[in-house]
Each structure stands twice: as C-alpha cells, then as structure tokens.
Amino acid sequence: MGPFASGSLLLLGLLVLLATGMPIAFALGLVSIVALILSGGFGVMEIIGETFFGGLASFSLVAIPMFILMGSAVASSPAGRDLYEALDRWLNRVPGGLVLSNIGACSIFSALSGSSPATCAAIGKMGIPAMVERGYPKSIATGSIAAGGTLGILIPPSVTMIVYGISTETSIGRLFLAGVLPGLMLTALFMIWTIISCRLAGYSFEAMAQRFTLREKLQALPRVLPFLSIVVAILFVLYGGVATPSEAAGAGALFCIVLAVVIYRMWRPGPLVEIFRSTLRESVMIMMIIGASELFAFALSSLFITQSIAMWIADLEVNRWVLLLFVNIFLLIAGFFLPPVAVILMTAPILLPIIVQAGFDPYWFAVVLTINMEIGLITPPVGLNLYVINGIAPDIPLQTILKGALPYVLCMMLGIIILCFFPGIATWLPGQMMGAAL
Amino acid sequence: MRLYIATVTALSRAGGVLAMLLLAAAVLVTCQMIFVRYILGGSTVWQTEFVIYAIVAATFIGSPAVLIDRGHVGVDLLPKALGGAGRRWLEVIGAVAGLAFCLLLAWSGFIYFYEALTRGWRTATVWQLPLWIPLFPLPLGIGLLALQYVAEMLKLRDGGTLLAGEATHFEELE
C-alpha cells in the first residue's frame, strides 16, 4: 500500500473512532498502534510503550500541569470578581466602560487562568447580570464575554502555546512573546466592535454610567496586583532565559496557591483538593493526548505519510497565500470539532514543515493557528464558551448568545488578515526581546 | 459484578489521590530546585528527573480516576445527536476500542518495564536512577485504566453512559 492509501485509511479509521465519542487520546493511540502493527508486525509492540513514555518524559512538558495548576488556583478563588470590580471602578468614565472592563477582565483573567471556559464562568457570572442591569443588549453582554474568554490561549502564559512549542520544537518563551501583541490587538478589536455595536443598538453610555470615588478605586487594587505581578514576573523570567518555562510555571503555581490561601483565606482542605483535582483532570487529559500523538507521529512517519504529504504540497507549487488559506480553512474546520490541544498535536507535525517551506515564520504561524482555535471555542457545534455562558445565564437563549458571538468571530478573522499583512505584530516583540530566531 | 466495580473504582480513586500528591511534590521540588540553583547558586542532581517522572507517573496513575470523571475528552456530537439505540451502539464500539488501546499500551509498557527491570537499566544521568522505577507507573496505571474501562462498560450495560454529560462541565466550573 502506498503512503496515500495508508494515510487515507488511517485518517478514516481515526474519524470513525472519534465519531463514537470515545476519548480522543485513546482513538488516536489505537489507530496508530494498529497501523504500526499492520505495517511492521507485532514486533512493534516492543517500542510502543517506549515511544509513549518517551513522548511524556520531558522537562518542557512539566510546564503544562504547572500552568494548569496555577490557573486552577486563580480560577477557584474569587480573584475574577475582584479583577472585574477593579476594572469597572477604573474604567467607568470611559464610554462603554462596563463592557470594556468586562473584555479587559476577560483578557487578564484568561491569561492568568489559561482556561477559556473558566474565564467565561468567572467574569460572566458578575459581568453579564451587571451589563443586562445597566441596559446593555443581551447579545452584546454575552457575546463579548464568550469572545473575551478565548483570549487566554493566545495571551501568555498559554498551555496551547506550550503544546505547540513542544510538538514543533520551537521556543516556548518566544511563542509566549509572539502572542502578546496579537492578544492585545484582538482585545482592542473586540472593544472597538463592542462600542460600535452598542452605538448601533442605540445604547446611551452616558445615561447609564456609575461614579466611583478615588478611594473606592484604590480599595479595589490590592487584591488584584499580586496576581497580575505573577504574570508579569513569569514573562520577565522567561525573556532573558533566566529560567525555563517549566521552572517559571512551578514557581507561579506555588505563588498562586499561596496567594489564594493568604488573600482569600482558602486554607480549608476542601477547596485546595478541588484545585488539585481539576488540575489532574485537565493535565492527564492533555498528557494522554500528547503521548498518543507521539505514537501518531511515529506511525505517520514510518508509513512515509508525513514526508509524502510535504513533498506533494511542495510539488503543487501553489501560491503561498493560497496554501495558507487552505491551511486556515482546514484548521478552522478541525477547530469546530476538536479541542485546540488535540488539533495542534495531530496537525502541527504535518503542517509546520509545509508552512516553513512556504516561507512563513513558525512563531507567526503559531499565532494564526491559535486564533483559528479561538474561533472554534465560540462557534457551534462544540464551542465550549457558548455552553458555559448558556449555563451561567440560563434566561438568555442560546440563539441570542450565538448572534452576539458571531461578530467577534469576524473580528478574529480580521485579526488573521491583519497578521497576514503585518506579520511584525507577532514577530517584532520576540525579536526585540530575544534576538533573531534561529 | 457490583463488588468488582466497587473495588476497581476504589483503587482508581486511590490512584487519583496518589497522582495529586505526586503533582504537589513536583511543584515543591521545582521550587526547591529554583531556590538551590538561582538563589544559593548551587547545582542540582536529582530534581529535574524527579519532577519529570513524578508528572509522568501522575499522568498514568491518575488516568483511571480521570476516566471515572469523564475527563478524557471526546467528540460526543454524533452519539448525542443519534440518541437511543444508535447512541448505545456507538458507546459500546467506543468502549471496546478504548479498552483495546489500554490493553495494548499496558502490555507494551509492561514489556518495556520488564526489560528495564531484568537487565538493570539505569537513566543516563548523574542520578543513575534504575529505569524500572519511573517505568512502573505505565503498566500499573494503564492496566488499572483497562480494569476501570471494564467497570465503566458494566455500568454502561446497566444504563450508564460513557459520554461526558452536559452537566458535568458546569459542575466543575462552579
């Protein structure tokens, strides 16, 4: 059987298994093992355990559970509420201040927690009722939170970026930096669209504004600053290569847990165990997919599928932008169904050589890929954020949330287009901080 | 049957607790390593390896508990859309395939572990840890995962489901 026939068969088998609803990790692992046995005989069983284990036993991967733990500590504390209140108090003079502080709180909180659904839940629980109470249209109130929550996988520290870094062997510190400006750009785009849509809906910002005294503003700060300083410290530590991402993540996790215990007095064992339980759940899920994708990559390359696809694409000699368009559409569709981490692990080993060969920067591509994954988080059928918002605001119909989220999808697509014209938005900051890429 | 489900579930839960402790230990050792290396200016011997293997062990030993909690995500659109008998069939096929994967991986992991044990392999580092120690969680954890899979299939027969319910997502976020 040629590489294309075996590749198609492998893909078909994977799709069939995934359709049963079984865990992605196990489906990916099973097709890979079966493919390896069919092509190489049972002797291959000697190296499957070794490959799976080897795929997980790396110090870079340690960053994943550590960052999840850090986010979990932040997410389970009332830090989201404080962050939201602080921004609301500081931004209330600005037109649309409330909705802007919601998006701002989302981008900061999602950076800290690294979890889109947790961000939507934490900020949305306060933000959506507050916005509805002050007369904002329900679609804008829910759509802006759904979109704001997606920013976490782009703004560092991001588990999605770590996974990309590991599967493509690119620098995680550089990836983090590459995500900063595009993340801020998307935040700004979201804010601009929100203001425009509020104006279009005839909403009067001035009539609804609340006033806060300087005292109230200052009171809101102390609880938020420690968490913010942890994010800044992590980025600072990563810049000069002072510490590795895993070390920074470990220290960040310990500090966030200590802060949650000290500031929010979460010293009872219950909440602490809950933090570890949710971390275990999330990180085991990701690690198992990583191990399985190691087997998948091994199967693909021993069947010469990876190499054949790369050669085939190179022989096509299509325009690089047409190629990028197809890659984007492919990622978008994959992102509609699969979680970001799974998409990256399954496709990056195949896509990256193609993308690099076409002359695109791997760090810039990481950003484009991540924005594609963000879109998948707020589009049906598995847009997790939509369902989380539906869960915390049950009186607002899903259609309204969808209608509110759709313009933000267009904002993200606009973001990708802007990045195509100005790749420097992604590559400038890492170049400044860390020198030219190798 | 009930005894089997209860016993295996208790073992998996214990594995989950052990995995959480390994996770906590990994965080503490990472911080200790940072302290020794960057603040005391010393060098570290065993810490990096310990942290790596603790995380790997937590993954394998914690994975049966994560299966009970439906934490291994899947794409459950089709079974949920079909409902009824179609959904049951897909769940059964998915469960058999999942179990097959666990058995294959546990078996292969056992081969690797057994070789490391009988041939006395050690890690190629200063610490020279006998390799069977970090390898042991692979057949142990994934073997338990296979047993837990059987328990989940028995529950499936009694009207349970292997898919993550819509409700479970929100419970963990509360």
Side-chain angles (χ1 to χ4, degrees):
Chain A
M1 209 186 317
F4 279 101
S6 53
S8 317
L9 220 65
L10 194 73
L11 188 66
L12 186 72
L14 180 61
L15 289 179
V16 168
L17 286 183
L18 284 179
T20 66
M22 72 183 287
I24 296 171
F26 306 164
L28 197 57
L30 185 65
V31 285
S32 312
I33 296 177
V34 171
L36 284 167
I37 290 176
L38 288 180
S39 69
F42 270 95
V44 86
M45 284 303 286
E46 300 241 344
I47 45 172
I48 282 168
E50 194 176 341
T51 308
F52 199 98
F53 183 87
L56 293 184
S58 116
F59 193 62
S60 333
L61 278 175
V62 169
I64 292 175
M66 304 275 173
F67 274 128
I68 294 175
L69 183 60
M70 179 180 133
S72 175
V74 174
S76 64
S77 72
R81 185 196 63 205
D82 288 350
L83 188 64
Y84 168 78
E85 272 179 14
L87 281 176
D88 186 29
R89 289 181 187 185
W90 282 87
L91 290 175
N92 69 82
R93 292 288 183 93
V94 186
L98 185 59
V99 78
L100 295 191
S101 56
N102 272 308
I103 296 177
C106 277
S107 73
I108 298 171
F109 190 83
S110 63
L112 275 167
S113 73
S115 159
S116 283
T119 303
C120 288
I123 305 296
K125 257 182 225 157
M126 274 85 54
I128 295 172
M131 281 193 278
V132 173
E133 192 180 309
R134 288 193 221 171
Y136 282 89
K138 284 179 178 171
S139 60
I140 297 174
T142 49
S144 62
I145 300 269
T150 67
L151 292 165
I153 60 173
L154 186 59
I155 299 176
S158 146
V159 171
T160 309
M161 286 290 194
I162 299 174
V163 170
Y164 179 93
I166 288 161
S167 82
T168 60
E169 292 176 357
T170 42
S171 151
I172 292 166
R174 186 172 277 273
L175 285 169
F176 278 3
L177 286 174
V180 173
L181 289 181
L184 294 178
M185 175 183 78
L186 278 187
T187 310
L189 283 176
F190 290 171
M191 287 180 169
I192 293 169
W193 165 252
T194 308
I195 302 251
I196 293 175
S197 63
C198 283
R199 288 254 187 256
L200 288 178
Y203 180 77
S204 155
F205 295 118
E206 292 74 18
M208 292 293 179
Q210 268 185 6
R211 295 277 175 268
F212 291 99
T213 62
L214 186 63
R215 190 192 171 86
E216 283 175 312
K217 287 182 181 176
L218 291 176
Q219 272 172 348
L221 283 184
R223 284 186 166 189
V224 179
L225 287 180
F227 287 103
L228 277 184
S229 54
I230 285 180
V231 172
V232 174
I234 285 176
L235 288 180
F236 177 75
V237 163
L238 287 176
Y239 284 162
V242 180
T244 59
S246 300
E247 289 167 334
L254 186 68
F255 279 124
C256 279
I257 291 176
V258 170
L259 280 179
V261 170
V262 172
I263 297 185
Y264 297 105
R265 296 170 204 280
M266 290 172 48
W267 36 263
R268 278 176 296 117
L272 276 180
V273 170
E274 203 38 56
I275 291 174
F276 276 93
R277 190 196 305 272
S278 68
T279 304
L280 186 71
R281 191 182 146 110
E282 177 104 13
S283 82
V284 165
M285 181 270 285
I286 294 179
M287 297 289 269
M288 288 300 283
I289 299 180
I290 292 175
S293 72
E294 194 75 21
L295 292 178
F296 189 61
F298 179 43
L300 287 181
S301 74
S302 47
L303 294 170
F304 288 102
I305 297 170
T306 323
Q307 301 87 325
S308 308
I309 294 179
M311 272 165 58
W312 175 63
I313 301 267
D315 287 346
L316 278 183
E317 289 183 4
V318 290
N319 179 300
R320 63 200 281 253
W321 295 105
V322 177
L323 178 72
L324 186 72
L325 181 71
F326 280 110
V327 167
N328 265 307
I329 292 172
F330 169 73
L331 287 173
L332 210 55
I333 294 171
F336 282 160
F337 298 98
L338 296 165
V341 172
V343 175
I344 291 173
L345 287 167
M346 286 189 222
T347 62
I350 302 175
L351 288 182
L352 197 77
I354 300 171
I355 285 291
V356 172
Q357 202 173 35
F360 293 106
D361 181 90
Y363 296 93
W364 171 86
F365 179 65
V367 172
V368 171
L369 189 156
T370 306
I371 299 177
N372 271 305
M373 297 301 105
E374 287 186 54
I375 294 176
L377 289 171
I378 57 167
T379 44
V382 286
L384 198 50
N385 289 11
L386 299 174
Y387 300 111
V388 171
I389 291 201
N390 195 220
I392 56 171
D395 52 323
I396 301 175
L398 197 58
Q399 286 96 314
T400 310
I401 305 175
L402 263 175
K403 208 181 87 193
L406 188 66
Y408 295 96
V409 172
L410 299 179
C411 284
M412 292 185 206
M413 288 180 171
L414 178 66
I416 294 179
I417 295 171
I418 295 175
L419 276 165
C420 290
F421 283 104
F422 305 101
I425 298 170
T427 55
W428 177 80
L429 190 61
Q432 281 291 308
M433 303 295 245
M434 303 177 74
L438 294 173
Chain B
M1 281 302 116
R2 196 162 284 174
L3 181 69
Y4 173 83
I5 294 177
T7 314
V8 171
T9 304
L11 282 174
S12 296
R13 288 286 178 211
V17 173
L18 182 60
M20 286 191 245
L21 291 174
L22 282 165
L23 210 61
V27 172
L28 291 177
V29 171
T30 306
C31 293
Q32 188 260 0
M33 175 167 71
I34 296 170
F35 188 75
V36 171
R37 201 176 281 170
Y38 299 105
I39 297 177
L40 301 182
S43 58
T44 52
V45 178
W46 53 273
Q47 284 87 340
T48 308
E49 264 183 292
F50 174 85
V51 171
I52 294 172
Y53 293 139
I55 294 295
V56 175
T59 303
F60 291 132
I61 296 175
S63 90
V66 173
L67 180 70
I68 302 177
D69 295 336
R70 303 291 178 268
H72 296 287
V73 291
V75 189
D76 49 14
L77 291 171
L78 186 63
K80 279 189 178 162
L82 281 178
R87 172 180 171 146
R88 286 197 77 75
W89 272 108
L90 286 182
E91 284 197 61
V92 170
I93 296 167
V96 171
L99 179 62
F101 167 74
C102 296
L103 289 173
L104 285 167
L105 182 60
W107 177 30
S108 181
F110 182 79
I111 299 174
Y112 188 31
F113 158 76
Y114 187 74
E115 279 186 343
L117 183 67
T118 50
R119 297 183 192 178
W121 289 343
R122 286 171 178 275
T123 57
T125 55
V126 191
W127 199 20
Q128 291 206 326
L129 182 73
L131 194 60
W132 68 266
I133 299 176
L135 286 179
F136 184 52
L138 169 56
L140 180 74
I142 303 300
L144 186 57
L145 180 62
L147 294 180
Q148 187 65 48
Y149 234 118
V150 174
E152 298 302 319
M153 287 162 84
L154 290 171
K155 288 192 222 163
L156 183 66
R157 194 193 58 179
D158 298 336
T161 178
L162 276 162
L163 304 177
E166 286 91 346
T168 53
H169 284 305
F170 302 121
E171 271 165 21
E172 58 151 322
L173 292 168
E174 284 300 320

